[in-house]
Amino acid sequence: MAMREAELTEQLWGDSAGAGVIFVSRVQHLEFSLACRGLVCVSRDRKPNTLVQVAALDVCEQSLLAFSSTEIVQGTRDPLFLTGVAFPPQCPILEETVIKLSVYDVKDKSANNSTFLGSATFSVADLLKSRDQQISLNLRSSDDLEAVGTVVVSRMKMGEIEDGEVDHMATDIQAQKCALVCESLHGTTNDKDYGPLMSALFKNPVCKVYRFQTLDSKWMLVREQMAESTLSFTIPKQLITLHIQEDSRRIQELKDLGELSPHWDNLRREVISRYDQVIRSYQETLEELDKLTGPSFKPSCSKAQKYLEFIPINLHTQRMRVTCPRKTDAFYDIITVGAPAAHFQGFKSGGLQKLLSRYESEKKSYSTAYQCIYYSPEQTAKAREVLGSLSELQPLISSLADRLLQAAQQRSVDALRDTLKSLAEKTEQFVHALKDELVKSALLALHAARPGYISKTQTHTPPPLHLQTEMPQTPSHTGAEPDAAVCINMDEVQTPNKEEQLAAVTLERQDSIPHYKEYDEEEWDRVWASVAKSLNCVIALVDKLQEQDNNNQESTPDQALADVITSHNPSEWREQLSPLVASLKECVTEVGDRAQKSMTFILLQEAVCSIPQGLFLQQRRDVVFSQALSALACGFVMRLYAGLEDKGFLQQLHLVGLVAQFESLLSTYSEEIGMLEDMETGISDLNRVTFRITEAKSDDPAELQPVVSGRRDYYTVEIPLPQQSFQIIPPELQEGKPLQIFPVLFNVGINEQQTIAERFGDISLQERINQRNFEILDGYFKTLSDKVPSECLPCFQTQMDVKELLETLGQNVVTKKRKNVEILWLAGTICRRLNGIRFTSCKSAKDRTSMSVTLEQCALLRDEHQLSKDYFIRALDCMRSRLAQGEAAQWDDPEAGSVANHKPASRHFYPIALLLVSSHLLVVWLILSLVFLLAKYQ
């Protein structure tokens, strides 16, 4: 191939030397198809196996722009090539650009043995100005003495080809005329593929175009477009920044716990030191990522680089667009990505699923050793949730309280009513967030960790620290009073006088939990209930003020109304409300401070019990989640952009949400078990993510980048849309409604290692993953059926109902069958029927992934677009042409052009069928394989 490129470059430079250049307009989206007629082979008695190499030279720059080639058509003098030539927008194709076609007879493609037959040269202007934009060129031999046939070049225009027969080309397969016919459509499809909305997030698109015959002897046009995504790096960098901020806040919260006993103070110092190490590590990673330039993806050869561990491997988008006779264009999207896993950290001890299970069992023993209380994962998650609610609601309540006073100052009844409603809602959320026995129990545990703690029994021995996880029920001092205090039905609130209001909100102020006296377990109930009482007093006074204002307006004649209004002091309402609002803010601050310290103490004990594994596992989980979220954000954005004009899809989006189906091809053998365990946890963690659509400040690409916010337990990804696109979406989406995602993972190993696992290993992990995620998918469909009409879902040619597909999938996930790829096909089909997002993964998103994607695309062409059965294998070969020829082309290997060490694949797993001939050979093979693996991982 390198010799051919050098030869073509030399010929092109020779042809264009001294040529004058006249600048004309740039050509967008140039795509054309090729066919040859009457080829003359060196051996007159044989028919050539024809391949056309395409090279383009910019005469202005005197530089080679692109190389491309067709598939090999065997045994015919009149080959019709199904693979066309595409120049994407980033290639500066001008009308004066020279294109050279070189035709070869490939005698032995495995040995790369070929003979040059002839070549032809034309300019882009020649093609564009020709009749029907089709030209026929004579092929000249290398000595330029004789013609060796002709080559026909026809421009392909997706969705723009005029109705009617524009060309007839003989196919050597069926020896019949096949008309290249496509129905005329309004507008072009190129705009969606290359528009500013797509180009802001998807870079360096690579295109391939094909034409395939349908059952009715017509021709469909197919374009594959693969692109990198800037989200491969922007999402991980935002997540790392959020992790640094969260861990820094955690350190500050630990310092704010106040004075602790020497034992707990030493443990706190150790935990803070470990958090500092994690922060420094993340800061170094962020600094290295900021230095990177070049491609927007991480090649698989960079798996071992630590500063790239947060970046997904080979994250690419792939879109297949199909133009068929008498049908509107259809497109099919899929995201390809390497398995989200901690590849740098390795898998010798397994993946996250196994490590987390082992960690939870070991944490109980660590809690006894460090004299800590053991909290379950649900309880620690609840503690983080409470801390998150406090950080969100406390500033919001304070801001609303200030706005309430401002509305009172202005005597604006409407503003007062609306602000009070918001304040009541947020305060009620605040009160209910802290209505948990976990908070009360944690306050008691924190009190026990203070120096000079005195127990209620007045004994001098320290209290037992192995408190039970079932928190003790403390009787309330007022029975159901806290619940009653939360009720803020304004119709039932009696309006008190001013003295009663002030007395109701007078509280015993204390700076913190007492250190040197007996702990009053009922104190928290009183402090907690004071928030709701204070709110009720504010509501009652506002009602009273509004009632007085209404009475004054009704009893005053119209002509004197203005005089009455001006006679009142404008600040009178504010003066009456200020003490009550200030008291409410003080109560919220005190309750929030106590709850924050108690929840921080829970997390301190969790961090202490997790030494030394806990923070390491958190880092591993951060890495895996970063890769998974990058892929999900990429798929969500692509799906959203494609469905902006689909009202049914937008209705489904805000009523239920979308399903994100991850197809995994990992085996359950060796290190890929650890990858699958990592991937399972990472995909499951995506349940903590919601999306929100916002309006971009401008159409600048920087303003269209998704923004991630939140903490480890809950993230929100904001997707900015340009103003024109934002205005057409439903009001629910414009208001920023959180959009749910339902991630599901289905795995079926397909390589030779999976054969070993199924015969001699354990595939229970794969079976459990498939069964569990089928239940999630089935539950999503039931919810979708209840809330969204079936008309909102896309229509397909195949008549099988989604419910029937789910029943078949349910049967397959419990069926014992080796390499049951039917599971993947059914899950993918259901996902497309439900407007979902499709992902395909293997270890590096290369060989297995490309084989799966091309097979799926050809199956879609057959089932949905009537691809001729005779063309199915040819279409599959065209899409896999580089793989078949053993060349690392840019299309099939997204790492082409990157610094990759192309190591040969391991061949120590010999064909099983050969070894089963003899049991002795099988034993020898097993021994050799084990020796090889032990040597590899030592």
Side-chain angles (χ1 to χ4, degrees):
M1 180 61 70
M3 295 180 61
R4 289 182 189 169
E5 292 180 0
E7 174 191 346
L8 288 171
T9 305
E10 181 180 356
Q11 292 176 356
L12 282 171
W13 277 86
D15 291 345
S16 61
V21 176
I22 301 177
F23 289 95
V24 291
S25 61
R26 178 174 170 176
V27 179
Q28 297 286 344
H29 321 308
L30 179 62
E31 299 169 348
F32 58 84
S33 60
L34 297 171
C36 294
R37 296 173 180 169
L39 291 179
V40 178
C41 190
V42 176
S43 300
R44 302 279 178 174
D45 56 342
R46 65 178 293 271
K47 296 180 181 180
N49 301 325
T50 312
L51 168 75
V52 179
Q53 287 281 347
V54 182
L57 181 72
D58 186 351
V59 182
C60 307
E61 300 291 337
Q62 294 290 299
S63 61
L64 204 60
L65 294 178
F67 278 99
S68 182
S69 66
T70 65
E71 79 278 14
I72 300 175
V73 179
Q74 299 183 353
T76 176
R77 300 184 186 276
D78 302 315
L80 177 66
F81 298 101
L82 303 183
T83 304
V85 180
F87 293 96
Q90 70 270 20
C91 292
I93 299 297
L94 307 176
E95 289 192 4
E96 63 270 18
T97 299
V98 176
I99 297 177
K100 185 158 190 173
L101 309 175
S102 301
V103 182
Y104 292 86
D105 176 16
V106 182
K107 298 179 180 179
D108 186 356
K109 62 182 180 181
S110 60
N112 202 16
N113 181 15
S114 61
T115 303
F116 176 74
L117 295 181
S119 63
T121 305
F122 67 96
S123 68
V124 174
D126 295 337
L127 177 61
L128 298 180
K129 296 176 182 179
S130 62
R131 183 180 179 182
D132 296 329
Q133 294 189 334
Q134 176 179 304
I135 56 175
S136 181
L137 305 171
N138 290 326
L139 292 171
R140 310 299 299 183
S141 61
S142 56
D143 54 12
D144 202 24
L145 296 179
E146 59 178 341
V148 294
T150 59
V151 57
V152 179
V153 183
S154 304
R155 188 182 183 190
M156 302 171 66
K157 293 182 289 184
M158 297 289 293
E160 296 180 356
I161 297 179
E162 296 180 357
D163 194 14
E165 296 186 2
V166 297
D167 186 32
H168 293 275
M169 297 182 180
T171 60
D172 193 64
I173 297 178
Q174 296 180 346
Q176 64 179 5
K177 299 291 183 178
C178 297
L180 182 60
V181 180
C182 278
E183 185 174 305
S184 176
L185 299 176
H186 297 288
T188 71
T189 61
N190 293 329
D191 297 337
K192 290 185 178 181
D193 291 339
Y194 302 110
L197 197 59
M198 293 288 288
S199 60
L201 300 179
F202 305 107
K203 305 293 184 182
N204 304 323
V206 182
C207 301
K208 291 180 76 173
V209 291
Y210 312 95
R211 52 180 175 179
F212 301 131
Q213 192 176 9
T214 61
L215 292 174
D216 55 357
S217 299
K218 305 296 183 182
W219 289 87
M220 72 173 79
L221 303 185
V222 179
R223 178 199 288 126
E224 283 183 295
Q225 176 173 306
M226 185 181 72
E228 306 165 10
S229 175
T230 59
L231 302 183
S232 293
F233 285 87
T234 58
I235 295 294
K237 288 198 288 187
Q238 292 183 62
L239 279 176
I240 295 173
T241 302
L242 291 174
H243 295 333
I244 294 173
Q245 295 173 355
E246 182 178 351
D247 290 343
S248 299
R249 286 196 303 269
R250 191 73 67 239
I251 290 176
Q252 188 59 46
E253 290 168 356
L254 290 173
K255 293 179 179 179
D256 292 341
L257 277 177
E259 188 179 2
L260 297 175
S261 65
H263 169 72
W264 284 107
D265 191 54
N266 291 333
L267 292 176
R268 174 170 59 179
R269 293 175 185 272
E270 184 175 356
V271 171
I272 290 176
S273 174
R274 289 185 175 272
Y275 273 124
D276 281 331
Q277 294 176 11
V278 174
I279 291 174
R280 285 195 297 270
S281 174
Y282 283 5
Q283 287 173 339
E284 293 172 1
T285 299
L286 197 58
E287 291 173 0
E288 292 295 327
L289 291 178
D290 288 336
K291 298 177 184 177
L292 291 179
T293 58
S296 300
F297 71 98
K298 180 178 80 173
S300 61
C301 60
S302 300
K303 287 197 296 282
Q305 298 186 18
K306 184 180 187 307
Y307 70 94
L308 290 177
E309 62 179 345
F310 286 87
I311 312 300
I313 299 174
N314 279 333
L315 175 60
H316 287 81
T317 65
Q318 180 150 325
R319 168 169 291 179
M320 181 178 71
R321 185 176 290 276
V322 185
T323 298
C324 282
R326 294 178 298 279
K327 291 182 181 179
T328 57
D329 282 12
F331 61 87
Y332 305 92
D333 293 337
I334 192 167
I335 310 298
T336 58
V337 63
H343 297 274
F344 169 77
Q345 299 179 21
F347 308 96
K348 289 184 179 180
S349 301
L352 273 172
Q353 190 267 339
K354 181 183 297 183
L355 292 173
L356 288 172
S357 176
R358 186 187 308 161
Y359 159 71
E360 284 300 326
S361 61
E362 293 176 351
K363 195 168 71 169
K364 294 182 180 180
S365 61
Y366 278 116
S367 65
T368 304
Y370 287 99
Q371 298 182 342
C372 300
I373 303 172
Y374 171 74
Y375 292 98
S376 67
E378 293 76 17
Q379 289 173 317
T380 55
K382 178 64 178 178
R384 292 190 180 91
E385 181 184 342
V386 170
L387 286 174
S389 299
L390 290 174
S391 62
E392 177 185 352
L393 292 175
Q394 259 189 277
L396 197 55
I397 292 173
S398 179
S399 174
L400 289 171
D402 293 338
R403 285 171 52 189
L404 186 70
L405 292 179
Q406 184 179 1
Q409 174 77 25
Q410 300 171 354
R411 296 180 68 91
S412 173
V413 177
D414 293 337
L416 198 65
R417 181 177 59 252
D418 294 340
T419 305
L420 181 62
K421 181 180 179 182
S422 300
L423 178 62
E425 290 177 356
K426 297 304 177 182
T427 306
E428 186 175 0
Q429 292 178 20
F430 178 83
V431 171
H432 279 286
L434 304 181
K435 186 184 177 183
D436 197 297
E437 288 295 329
L438 182 64
V439 180
K440 186 186 299 184
S441 176
L443 284 169
L444 177 59
L446 177 59
H447 180 74
R450 301 292 188 187
Y453 166 72
I454 302 176
S455 68
K456 293 188 69 172
T457 58
Q458 298 296 322
T459 59
H460 297 287
T461 57
L465 293 178
H466 50 281
L467 301 178
Q468 300 299 320
T469 57
E470 293 80 19
M471 304 308 173
Q473 296 292 332
T474 303
S476 175
H477 70 294
T478 56
E481 183 180 347
D483 291 333
V486 177
C487 180
I488 53 176
N489 188 338
M490 296 184 220
D491 296 332
E492 299 178 1
V493 174
Q494 299 296 326
T495 304
N497 55 37
K498 190 170 184 179
E499 291 75 11
E500 291 173 341
Q501 295 171 5
L502 294 176
V505 297
T506 301
L507 301 173
E508 296 179 1
R509 305 298 178 190
Q510 297 179 349
D511 295 334
S512 61
I513 297 175
H515 294 188
Y516 303 103
K517 68 177 184 179
E518 180 181 332
Y519 178 61
D520 184 0
E521 296 184 6
E522 294 184 353
E523 181 183 6
W524 169 250
D525 290 331
R526 293 193 295 271
V527 175
W528 172 77
S530 66
V531 177
K533 291 180 179 180
S534 299
L535 176 64
N536 282 341
C537 291
V538 173
I539 293 173
L541 181 56
V542 171
D543 287 345
K544 180 179 179 181
L545 294 175
Q546 290 178 341
E547 183 180 356
Q548 292 176 353
D549 185 69
N550 293 334
N551 293 336
N552 289 336
Q553 292 185 21
E554 292 174 0
S555 61
T556 304
D558 295 340
Q559 60 271 18
L561 181 59
D563 297 334
V564 172
I565 294 177
T566 56
S567 66
H568 283 79
N569 184 359
S571 61
E572 180 182 350
W573 284 11
R574 181 185 178 96
E575 291 176 355
Q576 296 183 53
L577 274 174
S578 290
L580 299 182
V581 171
S583 181
L584 173 63
K585 292 171 67 175
E586 291 176 9
C587 291
V588 169
T589 301
E590 182 176 358
V591 170
D593 180 66
R594 290 171 180 248
Q596 180 177 351
K597 289 181 178 179
S598 66
M599 296 298 99
T600 301
F601 189 63
I602 289 178
L603 298 184
L604 170 62
Q605 293 176 89
E606 183 202 26
V608 168
C609 295
S610 65
I611 294 173
Q613 284 292 322
L615 293 180
F616 161 76
L617 285 179
Q618 185 61 67
Q619 286 181 271
R620 187 183 187 101
R621 200 164 187 171
D622 289 345
V623 166
V624 175
F625 179 76
S626 173
Q627 298 177 27
L629 181 59
S630 300
L632 178 63
C634 178
F636 182 88
V637 168
M638 196 170 187
R639 186 66 191 88
L640 176 65
Y641 287 177
L644 283 176
E645 299 178 1
D646 186 346
K647 294 182 179 180
F649 165 75
L650 296 176
Q651 182 180 357
Q652 173 189 352
L653 181 60
H654 75 80
L655 287 178
V656 182
L658 297 181
V659 62
Q661 187 250 329
F662 289 80
E663 173 185 297
S664 171
L665 304 171
L666 294 172
S667 67
T668 54
Y669 184 83
S670 187
E671 66 175 10
E672 290 196 6
I673 296 179
M675 294 181 198
L676 185 56
E677 290 176 340
D678 275 0
M679 187 175 183
E680 178 192 12
T681 303
I683 301 305
S684 177
D685 285 346
L686 293 177
N687 285 295
R688 303 175 294 172
V689 179
T690 58
F691 287 82
R692 182 176 288 120
I693 300 176
T694 61
E695 184 176 3
K697 298 178 181 178
S698 66
D699 292 348
D700 184 65
E703 299 292 341
L704 297 176
Q705 297 293 326
V707 178
V708 185
S709 60
R711 59 188 187 277
R712 284 186 175 93
D713 294 301
Y714 182 82
Y715 287 102
T716 299
V717 183
E718 295 183 355
I719 309 297
L721 289 180
Q723 181 180 8
Q724 184 178 3
S725 301
F726 186 79
Q727 291 175 348
I728 65 175
I729 63 177
E732 294 86 353
L733 298 179
Q734 294 181 2
E735 294 169 0
K737 179 180 179 180
L739 308 176
Q740 299 293 327
I741 297 296
F742 298 83
V744 293
L745 168 66
F746 291 92
N747 182 85
V748 175
I750 61 172
N751 61 359
E752 63 272 19
Q753 294 186 0
Q754 183 63 22
T755 303
I756 299 174
E758 290 178 343
R759 289 182 178 272
F760 310 107
D762 181 16
I763 61 171
S764 59
L765 174 63
Q766 174 177 289
E767 293 174 343
R768 179 179 58 79
I769 289 175
N770 292 339
Q771 292 175 15
R772 176 187 173 189
N773 285 272
F774 166 74
E775 294 173 359
I776 298 174
L777 184 60
D778 187 53
Y780 170 81
F781 174 70
K782 292 177 180 177
T783 304
L784 184 68
S785 301
D786 293 338
K787 296 184 177 182
V788 178
S790 58
E791 293 77 14
C792 293
L793 300 179
C795 298
F796 286 84
Q797 294 294 322
T798 50
Q799 299 299 320
M800 198 168 185
D801 185 66
V802 177
K803 189 175 181 180
E804 297 177 9
L805 292 170
L806 275 168
E807 291 176 356
T808 307
L809 177 60
Q811 296 171 2
N812 275 272
V813 296
V814 296
T815 301
K816 300 291 184 180
K817 181 180 178 181
R818 294 176 180 174
K819 295 185 180 181
N820 190 2
V821 294
E822 187 82 359
I823 293 175
L824 301 181
W825 180 85
L826 288 167
T829 303
I830 293 169
C831 176
R832 294 197 186 278
R833 294 289 187 90
L834 300 181
N835 268 327
I837 312 169
R838 283 274 293 114
F839 302 84
T840 297
S841 298
C842 63
K843 181 177 180 179
S844 301
K846 291 172 62 179
D847 297 340
R848 281 173 279 181
T849 297
S850 61
M851 299 292 278
S852 173
V853 170
T854 51
L855 180 60
E856 179 180 358
Q857 290 181 161
C858 288
L860 286 169
L861 294 177
R862 176 195 62 198
D863 299 336
E864 303 298 330
H865 301 281
Q866 299 182 341
L867 174 67
S868 174
K869 296 180 180 179
D870 296 327
Y871 275 75
F872 184 87
I873 299 300
R874 288 192 64 188
L876 198 59
D877 289 341
C878 287
M879 294 182 178
R880 297 176 176 177
S881 58
R882 293 296 181 269
L883 294 175
Q885 297 176 36
E887 301 169 358
Q890 186 179 11
W891 177 257
D892 298 293
D893 183 0
E895 301 176 13
S898 65
V899 182
N901 51 343
H902 299 287
K903 296 180 181 179
S906 174
R907 300 299 180 190
H908 67 282
F909 296 107
Y910 304 106
I912 296 291
L914 214 61
L915 297 167
L916 290 179
V917 175
S918 169
S919 59
H920 299 289
L921 286 177
L922 180 60
V923 172
V924 172
W925 170 74
L926 287 172
I927 294 174
L928 291 176
S929 297
L930 288 173
V931 171
F932 180 88
L933 291 173
L934 289 174
K936 179 179 179 182
Y937 293 108
Q938 281 182 350

